[in-house]
Amino acid sequence: MKKLTSSIIGGIAGAVALNILHQAVKEFLHEAPRVDLVGEEALSKGMETAGIEPPTGDQLFAATMAADLLSNAVYYSLIGFGKKKQLPWIGAVSGMAAGVGALTLTKPLGLSDAPVNRKTATKIMTVAWYTFGGVVAGSIIKVLRKK
């Protein structure tokens, strides 16, 4: 499969896997990261800054999920620029970097960091979930390149 196509498909797969994991675990563990809340805050503030009335409730959640899936898919697609044999490792490192970014960039961006930094377990899960998404993306890209 062509490099660009496999990268896009892998990026989407990684983003979907990440979001399914986030949404599933938050239902069972109080310590689970709530990146969705950070995303809702970012989307609302951004829209308000642009003079647009942000959605609320389910519409805000849906818009945030769409933006999150798109941005993570684009980010994870970049893994495909690496060497084929190393793609899962590149995915792991890229995912880890995204997880660390989620922990450290909230405050500088003027967002609440409580949803991702409230407990040590929350921080570990945040990095682990993004790493998982990166490994999924890298692995899918590698498999698709074999075809």
Side-chain angles (χ1 to χ4, degrees):
M1 184 173 281
K2 293 194 179 211
K3 193 172 190 174
L4 180 60
T5 304
S6 63
S7 295
I8 291 169
I9 292 169
I12 292 168
V16 169
L18 168 66
N19 279 282
I20 288 172
L21 185 59
H22 270 300
Q23 295 306 309
V25 175
K26 79 175 189 181
E27 297 298 322
F28 302 103
L29 289 177
H30 175 72
E31 296 84 13
R34 294 296 308 272
V35 179
D36 55 319
L37 298 179
V38 175
E40 287 179 358
E41 181 184 5
L43 184 63
S44 293
K45 284 185 175 184
M47 291 180 76
E48 288 169 356
T49 299
I52 301 168
E53 182 72 27
T56 59
D58 289 343
Q59 289 180 330
L60 177 59
F61 178 78
T64 301
M65 286 296 103
D68 192 52
L69 282 168
L70 179 62
S71 62
N72 284 318
V74 169
Y75 178 75
Y76 285 142
S77 292
L78 297 174
I79 294 165
F81 286 102
K83 295 183 190 244
K84 187 166 102 174
K85 288 183 179 181
Q86 299 171 338
L87 291 172
W89 290 107
I90 294 168
V93 171
S94 297
M96 211 176 301
V100 170
L103 297 178
T104 60
L105 294 175
T106 47
K107 277 206 173 178
L109 292 172
L111 304 170
S112 171
D113 71 340
V116 292
N117 279 311
R118 67 182 173 276
K119 293 186 175 191
T120 300
T122 308
K123 293 175 187 180
I124 291 168
M125 283 185 269
T126 299
V127 175
W129 290 183
Y130 280 97
T131 303
F132 171 74
V135 170
V136 168
S139 298
I140 295 289
I141 296 166
K142 183 177 180 179
V143 167
L144 290 175
R145 295 265 170 89
K146 288 182 180 178
K147 295 184 178 194

